[in-house]
């Protein structure tokens, strides 16, 4: 199927979105070897995959790199152990650091998925996540707000503790806003962190221009979302130019 797609369409990279893809070690090693021989060596096209950090070891990293894997995407979510336990994520901070370190060792790019607004979130737990993200240095990040899913244990927890702002069918875009009323942090403050996550990370890395920028956009209620988004994009472009090469 992949060879058909590569032959028929102008494919630049094969992105496989399945976080259980690497569970079968024999299969993934065979896939990587065949991909390199049958696709990469003929076309120069790489592939990207998702993986859990707890199953990612040196043997797997080496096999993927030799098989022309360009990028590995990991669900980091949060650095706080209590929030990870509530999510039943079953990973540790040490496993996150190890997985990203192995990708760096074998020259594969990385992406980190982050999740804000898990019940129990505070500015302190967000700070932990920011610090860990700076430490592992992912090439890309995608941050979203936790969205309770009907029928799950954590959804029931949110209902029982009165955390839902809206009924399930009225929930908005989890990429831009939170549907929860958390006790440890206000919705406005949470959204401020979420919308400006890259700026907060750059601030943690010592780029003072970004600290001034995040302070200017603290009031997410004062203007419409559309107007604020346009202002953020203009500011981001300006800051990119000012900090290029730093």
């Amino acid at each position: 199927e992949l060879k058909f797609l590569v032959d028929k369409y102008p494919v630049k990279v094969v992105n496989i979105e399945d976080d259980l893809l690497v569970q079968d070690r024999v299969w993934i090693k065979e896939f990587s070897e065949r991909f390199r021989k049958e696709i990469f060596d003929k076309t120069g096209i790489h592939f990207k995959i998702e993986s859990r950090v707890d199953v990612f070891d040196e043997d797997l990293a080496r096999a993927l790199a030799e098989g022309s894997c360009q990028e590995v995407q990991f669900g980091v979510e949060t650095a706080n152990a209590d929030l990870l336990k509530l999510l039943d994520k079953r990973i540790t901070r040490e496993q996150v650091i190890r997985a990203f370190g192995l990708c760096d060792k074998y020259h594969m790019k990385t992406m980190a998925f982050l999740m804000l607004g898990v019940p129990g979130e505070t500015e302190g737990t967000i700070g932990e996540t920011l610090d860990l993200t700076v430490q592992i240095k992912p090439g890309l990040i995608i941050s979203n707000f936790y969205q309770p899913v009907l029928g799950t244990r954590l959804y029931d927890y949110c209902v029982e503790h009165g955390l839902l702002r809206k009924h399930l069918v009225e929930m908005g875009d989890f990429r831009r806003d939170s549907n929860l009323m958390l006790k440890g942090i206000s919705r406005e403050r949470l959204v401020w962190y979420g919308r400006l996550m890259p700026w907060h990370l750059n601030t943690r890395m010592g780029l003072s221009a970004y600290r001034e920028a995040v302070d200017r956009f603290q009031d997410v209620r004062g203007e419409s979302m559309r107007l604020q988004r346009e202002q953020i994009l203009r500011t981001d472009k300006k800051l990119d130019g000012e900090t290029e090469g730093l």
Side-chain angles (χ1 to χ4, degrees):
E1 291 178 355
L2 288 177
K3 287 191 290 184
F4 167 79
L5 292 173
V6 167
D7 289 340
K8 186 174 179 61
Y9 300 102
V11 176
K12 295 182 179 180
V13 65
V14 175
N15 186 24
I16 306 173
E17 298 189 2
D18 181 351
D19 57 1
L20 298 179
L21 186 73
V22 302
Q23 296 295 98
D24 187 333
R25 292 303 184 90
V26 175
W27 184 91
I28 192 61
K29 288 181 179 180
E30 179 183 350
F31 170 83
S32 299
E33 184 177 350
R34 287 191 60 188
F35 190 97
R36 182 174 192 88
K37 291 178 180 179
E38 298 178 36
I39 296 180
F40 176 78
D41 286 348
K42 297 178 180 179
T43 66
I45 294 173
H46 294 83
F47 70 94
K48 302 179 181 181
I49 65 164
E50 295 179 348
S51 176
R52 287 179 56 90
V53 296
D54 56 341
V55 300
F56 200 83
D57 58 19
E58 183 138 14
D59 182 54
L60 177 57
R62 185 186 304 109
L64 290 171
E66 291 175 352
S68 71
C69 179
Q70 182 183 72
E71 178 182 271
V72 186
Q73 304 160 3
F74 298 102
V76 175
E77 321 309 0
T78 174
N80 182 266
D82 292 334
L83 299 187
L84 286 172
K85 184 176 181 180
L86 189 63
L87 289 169
D88 197 23
K89 184 68 179 179
R90 304 183 190 184
I91 64 172
T92 66
R93 181 189 186 95
E94 291 71 28
Q95 289 169 337
V96 171
I97 295 171
R98 180 192 64 184
F100 280 81
L102 285 170
C103 287
D104 184 58
K105 177 179 179 179
Y106 287 96
H107 309 292
M108 290 183 288
K109 299 177 182 179
T110 53
M111 176 187 288
F113 294 99
L114 306 178
M115 184 183 295
L116 297 179
V118 178
E121 188 87 271
T122 65
E123 292 211 42
T125 60
I126 293 174
E128 291 180 50
T129 301
L130 289 170
D131 288 340
L132 177 60
T133 306
V134 170
Q135 181 177 355
I136 60 178
K137 296 181 176 62
L140 292 170
I141 63 163
I142 293 181
S143 62
N144 293 311
F145 296 98
Y146 166 72
Q147 189 81 309
V149 177
L150 184 64
T152 63
R153 176 184 55 82
L154 200 46
Y155 177 89
D156 294 338
Y157 176 94
C158 291
V159 173
E160 292 168 7
H161 290 79
L163 302 180
L164 291 179
R165 288 195 303 112
K166 299 178 182 178
H167 186 272
L168 181 67
V169 297
E170 299 173 330
M171 290 181 183
D173 187 346
F174 63 85
R175 294 168 296 181
R176 296 187 180 182
D177 201 353
S178 171
N179 190 49
L180 300 185
M181 298 178 293
L182 301 177
K183 298 178 180 179
I185 186 172
S186 69
R187 170 177 166 251
E188 290 78 18
R189 194 72 171 172
L190 183 64
V191 171
W192 175 67
Y193 275 108
R195 289 190 196 170
L196 303 180
M197 178 61 74
W199 292 6
H200 286 287
L201 288 169
N202 286 333
T203 297
R204 279 295 207 280
M205 291 189 289
L207 298 177
S208 59
Y210 285 92
R211 179 175 295 280
E212 298 169 4
V214 295
D215 288 342
R216 290 204 307 272
F217 286 93
Q218 286 199 52
D219 185 6
V220 298
R221 296 165 296 178
E223 301 174 86
S224 71
M225 180 182 294
R226 180 178 177 182
L227 177 59
Q228 189 179 59
R229 181 175 182 272
E230 291 173 353
Q231 291 176 338
I232 289 172
L233 290 174
R234 286 198 299 269
T235 303
D236 189 61
K237 184 176 181 179
K238 180 173 182 283
L239 289 171
D240 280 346
E242 292 176 355
T243 59
E244 186 176 2
L246 295 180

